Amino acid sequence: MAACTGLIVANLYYCQPLIVLIAKEFKIPEASAGTITYLTQAGYAIGLFFMVPLGDKIERKKQILMTTFASVIALIIAATAKSFFILQIASLLIGITSIVPQLILPLAASLSAPEQRGKVVGTIMSGLLLGILLSRTLSGFIGQLFGWRSMFWIAAGICLLIFFVIQNTFPQNRPQFKGSYGQLIQSLFTLIKTQPVLREATLINVFSFAQFGAFWTTMVLLLSDAPFHFNSATIGLFGVVGASGALAAPLVGRLGDKGGSRIAVGYGCLLLLISFVVYYFSAASVIGIIIGIVLMDVGIQSIHISNQTRVYSLLPEARNRLNTVFMSFSFLGTAGGSAYGLLLWKLGGWHAVTIGCIVLAILALVVYGLTYKSKSKK
């Protein structure tokens, strides 16, 4: 499940290093070619909201198989696109059909024993994070050697292989929700209203993912300018440093199994705060930025995995819908954080970005502190 999760989530990020190559082939500005990255993320958000809840209504393995096969088709459309408009449509479809990791996670939580749920979620999240980190490196390498279309063909082949792996290895898992699709979507808002742990975990994740998005968006601007003047290949290597978060994920999951999920959230918030203090003093230091990335990625994984474990423990029959609320708002946090970071960069450069993210880290800690005594915490 961890391998399938990492290989499928990579579909969301293959396009990013290929933008220059795509712009050259279609003879359009690089900024215009960059719209496929936004469309892919927008498709992902659409899929999260409208498709993930269905996992509580239809058989989960069947949904995962159908969505994975649809991803193969979307990737082939991208690989064979004769116009940029077709590629844009394909990018939206790639995003919509790449929500399989968010279908696998609730399935894994449903199959695992309560005392091992955190470990299982942490292990699968390791695969997810590695897929995100290594996809850009692989895509840049393949695109440079064989052209950008080759990456989409390879991705389609990978997803087709995954389809058969899932078909032969994943168990069936039947949901319990008996209502209509409209009632299913309406129940998302009921969950927000009635589940305080969901509200708290989601809000902390929003602030945390916003910091994450702000950093990775503006870091490229910092490292490409003086005093570094790094090229895109060198900048991409900094993502590999983030593998520290993947290594920490199973450890965080085990802590959750011992009843320490909420404690891990608190430590994660502190690590994020410390990382941006380090970033503030590292505007000209590669070592400082690397240390900050390690602290930030371990922190974000501590927060995300622990909160996800807590959310999955609430209502077993509603895990897909709980995950929809939790992840949809988390990715809105990432998108909002990216815009927030760019605005701060225009206003005051790197120091403004780091100060703005320190404010977000403090807000996350405030939410954590204000909800500490709630009897509903887990």
Side-chain angles (χ1 to χ4, degrees), residues 311-368:
V311 167
Y312 285 160
S313 299
L314 296 176
L315 297 169
E317 71 278 7
R319 285 203 176 104
N320 278 66
R321 283 169 287 156
L322 290 166
N323 196 43
T324 294
V325 173
F326 181 67
M327 290 305 302
S328 295
F329 281 97
S330 294
F331 271 87
L332 283 174
T334 304
S338 297
Y340 177 64
L342 289 171
L343 175 63
L344 292 173
W345 178 270
K346 291 179 182 178
L347 293 175
W350 182 247
H351 288 130
V353 172
T354 54
I355 292 171
C357 287
I358 287 171
V359 172
L360 293 176
I362 292 171
L363 289 173
L365 283 167
V366 168
V367 173
Y368 180 83

Side-chain angles (χ1 to χ4, degrees), residues 27-80:
K27 296 180 174 56
I28 57 175
E30 292 178 10
S32 298
T35 58
I36 63 173
T37 63
Y38 305 133
L39 287 169
T40 305
Q41 295 294 330
Y44 191 69
I46 291 169
L48 275 173
F49 191 82
F50 291 104
M51 292 175 62
V52 171
L54 279 170
D56 287 333
K57 181 173 174 59
I58 64 177
E59 200 277 312
R60 288 187 171 114
K61 179 180 177 180
K62 179 180 179 181
Q63 185 189 18
I64 291 171
L65 284 170
M66 291 171 60
T67 309
T68 302
F69 190 75
S71 188
V72 174
I73 296 172
L75 289 162
I76 291 175
I77 293 173
T80 58

Side-chain angles (χ1 to χ4, degrees), residues 81-143:
K82 300 300 183 183
S83 69
F84 184 65
F85 177 69
I86 297 298
L87 182 59
Q88 287 179 309
I89 294 174
S91 298
L92 185 69
L93 294 175
I94 288 170
I96 292 172
T97 57
S98 293
I99 49 95
V100 171
Q102 303 308 325
L103 301 174
I104 291 177
L105 277 162
L107 172 61
S110 297
L111 296 172
S112 59
E115 64 273 12
Q116 292 187 327
R117 187 166 295 131
K119 178 183 177 182
V120 169
V121 171
T123 300
I124 294 176
M125 285 302 300
S126 294
L128 185 80
L129 182 61
L130 285 172
I132 293 171
L133 293 172
L134 300 181
S135 58
R136 298 181 182 94
T137 305
L138 173 65
S139 179
F141 178 75
I142 295 296

Side-chain angles (χ1 to χ4, degrees), residues 251-253 255-256 259-271 298-299 301-307 368:
L251 300 177
V252 175
L255 179 61
S261 288
R262 196 166 195 281
I263 295 173
V265 172
Y267 282 125
C269 291
L270 284 173
L271 283 175
V298 173
Q301 287 303 306
S302 297
I303 294 167
H304 183 59
I305 292 168
S306 300
N307 274 334
Y368 180 83

